[in-house]
Amino acid sequence: MDRLATARFAGLLFGAGSMAFGLVASSAPPPAAPKPVVFATAVAPVLKQFCAPCHSGVEPAAGLDLSRFKTEADVQKATDVWAKVVNRVTAGQMPPKGASQPTALQRRALSDWTLQVLGADCLKQDPGRVTLRRLNRFEYDNTVRDLVGVDFHASDDFPTDDVGYGFDNVGDVLSISPLLMEKYLRAAQTIASKAIVAPEDRIVKYEGANLHAPTAVGGSYEGGIELFTNGAVTANHKFTQAGRYIVRITAYGVQAGPEPVKMAVTVKGQIVARVDLTATVATTFEYPVQVDEGPGRIEASFLNDYYNAAAPNPKDRDRNMVVMAIEVKGPLDGAAVPVSQRHLIPAGSTLENLRQILKGIASRAYRRPIRTDELNRLFALSHRAIENGDSFERAVQLGLTGVLVSPNFLFRVENDPANAKTPIRTLNGYELASRLSYFLWSTMPDDELTQLAENGQLLKPTVMQTQVKRMLQDPRASALADGFASQWLELRKLQTVTLDPKTYPAFTETLRADMTNETKAFFAGVVREDRSVLDFLDAKYAYVNQRLAELYGLPAVAGDELRKVTLPDERRGGLLTQASILTVTSNPNRTSPVKRGKWVLENILGTPPPPPPPGVGDLGDAKQVLDVKTLRARLEAHRANPACAVCHEKMDPIGFSLENFDGMGRWRADDAGAAIDTLGVLPDGTKFSGPKELRAVLMTKKDQFIRCLTEKLLIYALGRGLGPADDCALTDAITAAKKDGYKFSAIVSAIVHSTPFTQRRINSK
């Protein structure tokens, strides 16, 4: 087996989630044995002696029966399970303390055999198969913005997207319900009406609940308002620009007495008409007006109330006025056309251009050329408006609505050929452009990407590389901070964190937003400046405004704007010491070394601890006030339980080193007068104290961090969980990062050139 295959599988073996923090000096695999290791003589005896006593029989420990691994073929059938087993053994986590232990040579033989035999599996290069993906809420809003030019957050009304493998853009969890489909239709209609204003849309009608009158003078009557004494029915309208309008009043009189009902019409305080309202059925009266831009009240006033209870004819006793509706048409001259409309409907377009306009809109929305049959159906839908006497703009508006509810827009479709001769295919240019744009921008491809897809140039690695560089420098790359970093770093949890106001009175909603924005700006800066991703572990700078500078005790920074500043000392650096992370990993009224340690294991080292065993207990109420000495003592007692120690001996030392930061990230030398002990001791005996020394330890584990970050980026880029075959792409990306100074762009470039990103499996295996 070649060295490349061995190195690639090493990532699977030593990058599995159960790896022990602090026990393995480096994530690099041990050097290959000079001679091949034989399963029967070097591996099977280790399993039999040290593993089988617990992991076999009717009720094997942890439900894991290792007696099934009798031959190499048995291992080949369950490589995922085997990799985790070998990982735990080589990391020293198994067998458990107190049990008979294999020698270092025996552990080494186990890992060497695994690399030697199973590494070649990675060469299969199965690209996997991504489930048809619906646009998540973030992607939907961005795509609507770039498609029609309307920055309208329609998704605020959509249900929250589910999360899979840590991210909400994973196809397996992006389902669609009848309720969501209804909301899509409603949003499409709203978006289309904002993007394109048809002449019909310049008529605003107020009726029913949108008409108002004081209860002392009138009340609801047959869908309108009846005034039974002198008074006015009003409607509040916003005139979009200065100019000519037409105001229409639909009303009639309930006649009585010697004269007809008299009505006055007032617009923005100016009387525009006084009329004798002789009509006894609903009749519309029209009045041209010239008004200034801005909000204004329109009034239809009843001027001559009359009541005579003694009149011989009962119908001649009470004079009233009924207003059914108030309409405003306009502006009539030089009506402002939205920028979006000028973009979607070129100047001079007529009915003859309808098909071409719809073709352009749909092709961009579907992220590929529209088929003739699709265009015919869309044209028929729009042309129906023309047949019904509607305007050309209304026809385009209706077509746009149809596009926005099409599965071709709502889903990222990758259609496989029906007569495929191989089980794997390379993505076409349009599919690759879509994957690239939603990975880096969380939105549709722009014109440049689409043009490169159309002429086939995007499939060239050099062109792809140029596009990656361009896209990472584009402002739209900020979507990586909003979409990827916010989920990787669990920033979204900060929006729901509740801190005790008595303990942390300085924690405000404004400061909460500052904390989130700082971490996003920090991440975006690494991307924009193409810095080393090791800055995430130990940067000498931060992005702060006045409030954050005061929170951190930094030299004065004035104003609300975040700016990049050099940190004056070693207290802070990188992500771990930012207020957002420290607050998310705290309890309502105290810090939590366990949460902070767990966060580092999961999000920095990619070694999440397993769920706690049932019935092991905890520290009690998280809201209970504990001083630092009591808290540390309780945690140490907690670790005395062997069932708890396996996780806490890795989590707690990390958390202790961050205890100088309180629950909202402020530095403290003591806690309520009690000295803070930041000493942490890892399972291998490594000692460190405080955030500076923790960062130094983490920097020695940079290979683990690079793998963790790359794995999460690959999940986000692909929209699916990873399997053993994806380890090739991971290892290649890690290697590329090392060669290029750990730059962020190096990891991204390796991902977008990888087999799982550029290819797909046609048929499930």
Side-chain angles (χ1 to χ4, degrees):
M1 182 192 66
D2 59 57
R3 292 182 180 179
L4 177 61
T6 300
R8 283 173 167 170
F9 189 77
L12 171 64
L13 176 60
F14 293 103
S18 56
M19 184 170 171
F21 175 74
L23 264 171
V24 180
S26 170
S27 63
K35 294 182 180 181
V37 181
V38 179
F39 183 88
T41 59
V43 178
V46 174
L47 291 177
K48 182 177 180 181
Q49 180 179 354
F50 300 104
C51 304
C54 295
H55 294 285
S56 62
V58 179
E59 295 184 0
L64 178 62
D65 184 3
L66 299 183
S67 64
R68 60 173 162 161
F69 295 118
K70 295 180 174 63
T71 65
E72 287 188 12
D74 295 331
V75 174
Q76 295 278 5
K77 296 175 183 177
T79 55
D80 287 354
V81 175
W82 181 260
K84 293 178 181 179
V85 169
V86 177
N87 180 14
R88 297 292 294 274
V89 174
T90 55
Q93 291 182 317
M94 285 291 169
K97 292 180 180 180
S100 179
Q101 301 289 324
T103 66
L105 288 177
Q106 287 174 314
R107 295 182 195 270
R108 164 78 172 275
L110 197 61
S111 62
D112 284 353
W113 178 85
T114 302
L115 292 171
Q116 138 192 325
V117 174
L118 300 186
D121 280 357
C122 192
L123 298 180
K124 292 180 180 179
Q125 289 284 278
D126 177 7
R129 182 177 175 85
V130 180
T131 302
L132 184 70
R133 275 194 280 175
R134 170 176 62 77
L135 300 181
N136 64 24
R137 299 196 307 165
F138 184 50
E139 293 167 339
Y140 179 94
D141 284 340
N142 290 345
T143 305
V144 166
R145 176 201 64 204
D146 294 338
L147 175 65
V148 302
V150 174
D151 196 4
F152 177 65
H153 294 278
S155 70
D156 290 345
D157 190 42
F158 297 169
T160 302
D161 295 311
D162 291 330
V163 174
Y165 303 99
F167 297 100
D168 64 3
N169 68 339
V170 172
D172 288 344
V173 300
L174 288 171
S175 59
I176 187 167
S177 64
L179 173 62
L180 180 56
M181 198 63 233
E182 289 179 13
K183 291 183 178 295
Y184 276 144
L185 177 58
R186 190 177 308 146
Q189 292 169 334
T190 302
I191 292 166
S193 66
K194 287 181 175 293
I196 300 172
V197 178
E200 297 93 324
D201 296 328
R202 295 194 180 100
I203 300 176
V204 181
K205 187 174 184 178
Y206 301 94
E207 55 188 343
N210 292 316
L211 295 175
H212 308 283
T215 56
V217 300
S220 299
Y221 180 73
E222 295 183 347
I225 292 180
E226 181 179 22
L227 296 174
F228 44 75
T229 188
N230 289 350
V233 175
T234 64
N236 296 312
H237 181 74
K238 183 178 181 180
F239 295 90
T240 56
Q241 65 183 66
R244 294 188 310 126
Y245 292 79
I246 290 177
V247 172
R248 294 171 178 155
I249 309 295
T250 300
Y252 65 92
V254 179
Q255 308 296 339
E259 60 183 6
V261 171
K262 294 184 181 296
M263 177 179 72
V265 178
T266 305
V267 179
K268 298 188 76 170
Q270 299 295 318
I271 296 177
V272 299
R274 291 177 182 269
V275 296
D276 287 346
L277 187 58
T278 58
T280 56
V281 295
T283 304
T284 299
F285 301 85
E286 189 173 286
Y287 307 101
V289 296
Q290 181 86 26
V291 297
D292 294 329
E293 179 183 351
R297 176 178 292 183
I298 302 170
E299 300 178 347
S301 301
F302 180 30
L303 302 177
N304 59 336
D305 182 33
Y306 170 83
Y307 181 73
N308 181 7
N313 185 352
K315 294 183 179 180
D316 196 34
R317 294 174 181 173
D318 190 11
R319 182 189 300 148
N320 295 326
M321 187 176 88
V322 179
V323 178
M324 301 302 297
I326 296 176
E327 292 182 47
V328 180
K329 179 181 180 180
L332 302 179
D333 300 318
V337 175
V339 174
S340 56
Q341 183 165 330
R342 294 198 295 269
H343 172 69
L344 295 169
I345 306 178
S349 295
T350 63
L351 181 59
E352 287 69 28
N353 305 115
L354 178 58
R355 182 181 293 272
Q356 194 63 28
I357 289 172
L358 294 175
K359 180 179 179 180
I361 294 173
S363 294
R364 293 183 67 237
Y366 297 171
R367 282 89 61 180
R368 59 164 174 79
I370 186 173
R371 300 192 307 268
T372 301
D373 61 312
E374 294 172 324
L375 180 57
N376 288 340
R377 289 194 296 270
L378 196 59
F379 179 79
L381 174 66
S382 290
H383 200 265
R384 193 172 302 158
I386 302 296
E387 294 171 345
N388 291 336
D390 292 332
S391 65
F392 173 70
E393 291 85 355
R394 177 71 85 205
V396 180
Q397 194 182 74
L398 184 60
L400 176 58
T401 302
V403 166
L404 293 175
V405 295
S406 168
N408 293 291
F409 170 74
L410 297 173
F411 289 84
R412 292 169 53 188
V413 181
E414 295 174 351
N415 283 319
D416 296 323
N419 57 348
K421 297 180 180 180
T422 61
I424 293 173
R425 73 173 179 89
T426 298
L427 300 179
N428 64 43
Y430 295 105
E431 293 167 336
L432 194 57
S434 188
R435 282 199 180 191
L436 191 59
S437 65
Y438 280 99
F439 173 27
L440 301 181
W441 289 347
S442 293
T443 188
M444 60 184 286
D446 64 357
D447 291 342
E448 183 170 337
L449 274 177
T450 301
Q451 182 62 42
L452 291 171
E454 182 179 348
N455 60 31
Q457 294 296 303
L458 190 60
L459 299 178
K460 297 180 178 180
T462 54
V463 175
M464 174 79 89
Q465 183 66 24
T466 301
Q467 288 303 304
V468 168
K469 183 177 180 180
R470 175 183 75 90
M471 295 176 72
L472 288 176
Q473 293 300 311
D474 191 281
R476 282 169 288 191
S478 63
L480 279 168
D482 294 319
F484 171 73
S486 291
Q487 297 183 84
W488 164 40
L489 302 174
E490 302 180 18
L491 290 182
R492 294 182 179 180
K493 292 182 179 179
L494 186 58
Q495 306 311 309
T496 57
V497 163
T498 301
L499 295 185
D500 179 16
K502 294 182 180 179
T503 307
Y504 303 107
F507 184 74
T508 63
E509 290 304 312
T510 303
L511 187 59
R512 185 199 301 268
D514 290 338
M515 292 176 176
T516 301
N517 292 335
E518 177 201 5
T519 303
K520 287 183 179 180
F522 180 81
F523 180 90
V526 171
V527 175
R528 182 179 59 254
E529 299 172 16
D530 200 14
R531 300 182 64 88
S532 166
V533 296
L534 296 180
D535 280 8
F536 293 138
L537 297 182
D538 193 16
K540 307 302 180 185
Y541 59 89
Y543 289 80
V544 298
N545 58 14
Q546 182 173 341
R547 286 179 293 273
L548 287 170
E550 292 172 353
L551 183 75
Y552 292 166
L554 299 179
V557 174
D560 296 335
E561 183 181 353
L562 292 171
R563 65 212 66 186
K564 188 177 181 179
V565 300
T566 300
L567 294 170
D569 55 46
E570 297 289 343
R571 293 179 177 182
R572 298 184 190 271
L575 292 167
L576 297 185
T577 58
Q578 292 180 10
S580 61
I581 307 302
L582 295 165
T583 303
V584 162
T585 54
S586 293
N587 286 324
N589 62 1
R590 62 171 170 82
T591 60
S592 174
V594 174
K595 288 183 179 179
R596 289 177 175 177
K598 182 174 181 287
W599 188 93
V600 171
L601 291 178
E602 289 182 339
N603 301 303
I604 300 299
L605 297 174
T607 58
V616 298
D618 53 30
L619 295 182
D621 186 357
K623 296 183 179 181
Q624 182 180 1
V625 178
L626 300 174
D627 62 44
V628 291
K629 291 183 177 180
T630 303
L631 178 59
R632 182 156 189 142
R634 284 204 181 185
L635 285 171
E636 289 173 349
H638 199 65
R639 290 201 306 277
N641 184 338
C644 303
V646 67
C647 295
H648 283 274
E649 65 183 3
K650 297 188 291 291
M651 294 188 297
D652 296 358
I654 300 172
F656 289 146
S657 69
L658 296 171
E659 274 295 276
N660 279 126
F661 299 106
D662 72 5
M664 57 182 288
R666 294 174 299 194
W667 182 266
R668 58 182 183 173
D670 59 72
D671 183 13
I676 295 176
D677 181 3
T678 61
L679 178 64
V681 182
L682 295 172
D684 66 347
T686 300
K687 295 182 179 181
F688 56 97
S689 181
K692 176 183 177 181
E693 294 184 11
L694 171 62
R695 294 197 300 273
V697 171
L698 291 176
M699 287 294 284
T700 68
K701 308 295 179 185
K702 60 178 177 290
D703 285 350
Q704 283 182 246
F705 168 66
I706 297 299
R707 183 178 180 85
C708 174
L709 173 61
T710 304
E711 182 175 309
K712 292 180 182 296
L713 270 170
L714 186 57
I715 292 172
Y716 183 79
L718 297 178
R720 64 168 174 80
L722 304 184
D726 296 310
D727 195 69
C728 300
L730 283 174
T731 303
D732 288 346
I734 294 167
T735 301
K738 290 181 179 179
K739 289 181 178 179
D740 199 14
Y742 297 101
K743 288 184 178 179
F744 186 85
S745 65
I747 300 176
V748 170
S749 180
I751 287 175
V752 302
H753 286 90
S754 69
T755 295
F757 193 87
T758 60
Q759 298 180 10
R760 68 183 266 119
R761 188 173 69 240
I762 296 177
N763 298 313
S764 300
K765 293 184 178 180

